[in-house]
Amino acid sequence: MSATVAKRREPRLGEDLYEARLAHGMPVFVLTRPGYDKKFASFATRYGSVDSRFRRAGGDWTTVPDGIAHFLEHQMFAQEYGDAFERFSEYGASANAFTSYTNTTYLFSCTDRFADSLRLLLEFVQQPYFTDAGTNKERGIIQQEIRMYRDNPGWRLSEGLKAALYQRHPFRLDIAGTVESVEAITTDLLRMCWDTFYHPSNMVVSVVGDVDPAEVAAMVEASLLAHPRPEQGSIDRDVAGEPDAIATPRVEAEMAVARPVVALGFKETDTAVSGDAVLVRDMATEICLEALAGKSSSLYNRLYESGRIDGTFHSYYHGERDFGLSVLSGETSDPDAFAEAWIGGVKSLLATGIDPAVFERQKRRMAGEFAASFNSPESLSYALNATYFAGSDLFAYGRLLDGLTLADVNARLHQHFEPSRTGVSVVRPKG
Amino acid sequence: MRVFHTPSSKFKTVTIRVYLHAPLRADMVTWTALVPHVLARGTRALPTLGDLARRCEELYGASLGAGVAKIGESQSLYVGVDAVEDRFLPEAARAVAGSVGLLRELLLEPARDAGGLLRGDVVAQEKENLAHRIQALINDKIRYAGMRLIEEMYRGEPFGLHAYGRLEDLPQVDAAAVTARYEDLIAHAPADVFAVGGDPALGDELAAAFGHLGGAGAIPAPAPGQAPAEVRRVTETQPVDQGKLNLGYRTPVTLGSPRHGAMMMYSGILGGFPHSKLFRNVREKASLAYYASSRYESLKGLLLVAAGIEPERRDEALRIIEQQVEDMAAGRISREEFDQTRSGLRNRLRSAEDSPGAMIDVAAEESMVGAPRTLEERLAAIDAVTDADVAAVARDVRLDTVYFLTSPQDGSGGSAPHGRGVEGASA
């Protein structure tokens, strides 16, 4: 019953990736890091805050309260023997978990007793222990967490931007839900969501460190056998038929901040991509943003030198299968002038297209940054999970970057950076 | 000047950071703070942000940085670069040598005006940016509360100064003063170069590039100081949803002391981990907080406790936190707490060796009180700690200041809305 482990090599970086497919098709990835003392493992499910309305094969549509994926993440650590966090502490490991819009990830890092910690990670995620007392206790902690985020201007800014761009998609809501919505979360609902989404067919394990890939695969295989699950068909997720048009051009909030913080967003409408095309979409968008607003761009320099932006300015793209956005954000004394300047920049870039020299320089930068990303076991593990869930492959990155053409990037520029699909979020000083 | 280079083949990059250390002093803090931001605006050969960024892109995404860090009572200016090793790049690439050269240029060949000063327009603009940066410290409430605690606790001591400097100094800052400050740092500040990755020859290259830097002497190690007879209590109000409760304790045990390992264990048992007393009792048992933890700033001898709580439950949270500290002093520490903390600390120390940035952070702190210890020495110092050692340091921990950031409506004794109120001992 020992799993077949396949090995692939990234010749340029001298990296080896090992992969085995186990029960229900669940993959385990191992990226070996010779010379590293630290081992990092993550166990992730393709289940996040946007999955609030779904249907199992042959079943009816179900709608659950907002914030339940995150609540479940908290609740999983409560085990019959006590707190799984503390068990990791006993092993000298450091454990954590996080919920994103699309995934929930459980993880640990350690230097000693890796096998004990890996077994524990696999076990507690596959073996929930739900009680009403536990649910009620955790609710108080989560409500504190929600309050904590509400005091963070960066969080308020991005919540505002999602609300400006999205009309219906649950991406527009807070990952943790609201103080009110978590009141409606019950033990039965948690169990039902766990049963639906924490199924091996919807999950992935990835390990990065100086470990034996065959041993890791055998341990994961044994753990899946010890927690047998019936076959489960695919899960349909209702993404609410989000239209291309934005919800509202502007969302404002007031907080105790020193001066206004602004974010200008472009809504993703290329939502039918999967596989390698997801990586290509990310790369092309990154090059567009660098050409427009990177530190080497002429507009960034002009706006910095005129004091319109400062060192807080940054831009990024976040794209998932059926939603996403590009963001230009920073502190500024005049949010309107900020937004106007960048929209003007987009219009001139659309007119000229991207400079071939800029395109080549950005590809060179990204090739270097991809190599540098192999320093970090954490980011490698997350990248393995993300590329798997996207239907692609981390090791395809170099090849896809090499193959990216200026025409691809210009096409993406015209498709995504559409001045009519922008929204602005502003957090202003209160009082 | 000292060069601390750890050659390594396990990373994809080389990571280099050059520090110039200046004593934290009110009459220099703001001027020193401004220097790296002016340097980062351009060099003689690459005079704009755009020129620097293009050069970094050509060097396969070399990442260049500059800033100031507070390390104990040193305000340390640093410039640094991460560059991908040439063996992972196309054949002709020379990203490492190019990055060393770029870093040298950034620190030693800044763009100047015709009169030889750092450019007046750049200084004026970076002054304004620094003012905004200082004002924006209020934005992140968790960090703001931590910063305000230190400001109140060390009022009148150099450690109370923020590494960004003081708003009130900025009107007096001009290009001539910043240039003078820069030149004084280059000529006289103790300098350290840290590098991780690459082969041993890199150490020689760095010595050649930066070897002439660094005045005599070192920054004196800070004194921990005494807690006041009566605990300082400060409540400040802002429109916040969650209250931020921060406690500052003084300990005579600092980095370099034979009792340092015991104090590391102390802070770990109290609030360094999910199994620690604070997390278990404030968050898990009382369901009172999302975060509750402690941190030991070992150059100064400062123990910080921080918790995010419902504003109206301050007294309950304070009672539970103070109970944990009392339990520590009374030696109420279980075998599990002790052993788990030791393995947790060992794990942290060993894991840091797998991150170039973390390695440099550790070495930079250690180097303030002598030659940085090896990992094995640091592990041995933790392993040698006994229950009695922890009990002994626990008896020397003194509460100094309680700082509470809360909403104006909570009725827990805050002063006027948006104001700062001070109760108890004089501030």
Side-chain angles (χ1 to χ4, degrees), chain A residues 15 35 37-38 86 89-90 92 111-112 137 144 151 153 256 258 296 301 304 361-362 364 368 375, chain B residues 10 12-13 50 54 57-58 84 125-126 129 139 141 241-242 275 280 284 287 310 340 347 350 354:
Chain A
E15 293 288 339
D37 202 1
K38 176 157 100 176
E86 292 202 31
S89 271
E90 274 171 44
T111 44
D112 279 325
K137 193 200 78 172
Q144 277 304 316
D151 286 339
S296 61
N301 278 265
Y304 190 101
R361 240 185 15 244
Q362 294 307 330
R364 187 186 256 223
N375 274 0
Chain B
K10 74 179 184 187
K12 294 286 185 280
T13 56
R54 269 188 291 280
E57 288 160 4
E58 285 158 9
V84 175
Q125 200 185 6
E126 291 306 325
N129 288 346
N139 292 9
K141 304 305 168 192
D241 274 87
Q242 187 191 55
H275 68 259
R280 274 195 297 117
E284 296 294 319
S287 207
E310 275 176 53
Q340 290 179 27
N347 180 47
R350 286 168 61 187
D354 291 335

Side-chain angles (χ1 to χ4, degrees), chain A residues 12-15 33-39 70 74 83 85-86 89-95 109-112 136-142 144-145 147-153 156 255-259 261 290 295-298 300-301 303-311 331 361-362 364-369 371-372 374-375 377 430-431, chain B residues 10-13 15 37 41 48-51 53-63 84 87-90 125-126 128-129 132-133 135-142 238-244 273-275 279-280 283-285 287-291 308-311 336 339-341 343-344 346-348 350-351 353-356 375 418:
Chain A
R12 211 171 328 183
L13 301 179
E15 293 288 339
R33 318 275 339 113
Y36 274 63
D37 202 1
K38 176 157 100 176
K39 289 106 186 144
H70 172 257
H74 274 240
D83 192 338
F85 259 127
E86 292 202 31
S89 271
E90 274 171 44
Y91 298 157
S94 163
S109 79
C110 70
T111 44
D112 279 325
N136 290 331
K137 193 200 78 172
E138 205 59 35
R139 187 174 286 125
I141 293 172
I142 289 169
Q144 277 304 316
E145 186 181 357
R147 288 200 173 89
M148 179 179 81
Y149 292 135
R150 287 191 57 79
D151 286 339
N152 181 321
R156 291 280 281 272
M255 288 183 79
V257 292
R259 60 185 190 133
V261 195
E290 288 296 323
K295 281 189 178 171
S296 61
S297 70
S298 56
Y300 177 95
N301 278 265
L303 294 176
Y304 190 101
E305 281 162 18
S306 68
R308 186 67 70 211
I309 61 171
D310 63 15
E331 292 174 19
R361 240 185 15 244
Q362 294 307 330
R364 187 186 256 223
R365 176 186 62 77
M366 288 159 73
E369 289 182 356
F374 281 73
N375 274 0
K430 188 166 187 165
Chain B
K10 74 179 184 187
F11 300 116
K12 294 286 185 280
T13 56
T15 303
H37 298 294
R41 286 291 298 275
T48 70
L49 281 174
D51 295 330
R54 269 188 291 280
R55 184 79 188 108
C56 287
E57 288 160 4
E58 285 158 9
L59 292 167
Y60 292 87
S63 86
V84 175
R87 62 197 165 103
F88 301 113
L89 296 173
Q125 200 185 6
E126 291 306 325
E128 198 179 325
N129 288 346
H132 290 143
R133 202 173 291 122
Q135 286 160 341
L137 288 169
I138 199 171
N139 292 9
D140 180 336
K141 304 305 168 192
I142 294 174
Q238 277 184 25
V240 290
D241 274 87
Q242 187 191 55
K244 319 288 176 195
F273 298 94
H275 68 259
F279 192 82
R280 274 195 297 117
R283 171 172 150 142
E284 296 294 319
K285 278 196 197 142
S287 207
L288 195 58
Y290 178 69
Y291 68 93
I309 61 170
E310 275 176 53
E336 292 72 38
D339 291 345
Q340 290 179 27
T341 298
S343 36
R346 288 184 56 91
N347 180 47
R348 255 181 221 166
R350 286 168 61 187
S351 296
E353 302 292 302
D354 291 335
S355 156
L375 173 66
H418 306 257

Side-chain angles (χ1 to χ4, degrees), chain B residues 89-316:
Chain B
L89 296 173
E91 244 168 68
R94 295 285 174 272
V96 174
S99 296
V100 172
L102 180 60
L103 188 65
R104 194 186 164 282
E105 239 177 280
L106 188 77
L107 184 62
L108 300 173
E109 292 169 16
R112 295 177 190 255
D113 65 18
L117 296 181
L118 297 171
R119 292 169 298 179
D121 58 330
V122 167
V123 170
Q125 200 185 6
E126 291 306 325
K127 253 172 74 169
E128 198 179 325
N129 288 346
L130 180 58
H132 290 143
R133 202 173 291 122
I134 294 170
Q135 286 160 341
L137 288 169
I138 199 171
N139 292 9
D140 180 336
K141 304 305 168 192
I142 294 174
R143 286 177 61 181
Y144 175 77
M147 177 197 88
R148 286 281 298 123
L149 170 78
I150 287 177
E151 201 172 274
E152 294 291 346
M153 181 164 164
Y154 295 101
R155 202 169 273 287
E157 290 180 55
F159 197 76
L161 294 167
H162 195 282
Y164 289 0
R166 308 185 302 183
L167 221 41
E168 61 266 33
D169 294 332
L170 283 171
Q172 292 106 266
V173 175
D174 60 18
V178 175
T179 307
R181 189 73 206 102
Y182 163 69
E183 280 168 357
D184 184 51
L185 283 164
I186 293 292
H188 303 299
D192 288 319
V193 179
F194 297 93
V196 172
D199 53 40
L202 178 66
D204 302 333
E205 277 174 60
L206 292 170
F210 299 104
H212 65 287
L213 281 174
I219 304 298
Q226 292 288 326
E230 197 178 341
V231 173
R232 285 176 258 238
R233 294 182 192 274
V234 180
T235 297
E236 183 172 340
T237 54
Q238 277 184 25
V240 290
D241 274 87
Q242 187 191 55
K244 319 288 176 195
L245 181 60
N246 290 50
L247 288 76
Y249 296 80
R250 296 205 195 221
T251 161
V253 182
T254 55
L255 186 63
S257 150
R259 302 161 77 201
H260 175 255
M263 194 58 211
M264 295 273 291
M265 285 291 292
Y266 175 100
S267 178
I269 294 166
L270 178 66
F273 298 94
H275 68 259
S276 301
K277 289 182 184 292
L278 289 173
F279 192 82
R280 274 195 297 117
N281 290 292
V282 182
R283 171 172 150 142
E284 296 294 319
K285 278 196 197 142
S287 207
L288 195 58
Y290 178 69
Y291 68 93
S293 64
S294 67
R295 190 165 70 76
Y296 171 41
E297 207 291 289
S298 72
L299 278 165
K300 180 64 181 172
L302 160 65
L303 180 81
L304 294 158
V305 170
I309 61 170
E310 275 176 53
E312 58 276 13
R313 296 178 75 184
R314 173 187 70 169
D315 294 343
E316 192 184 348

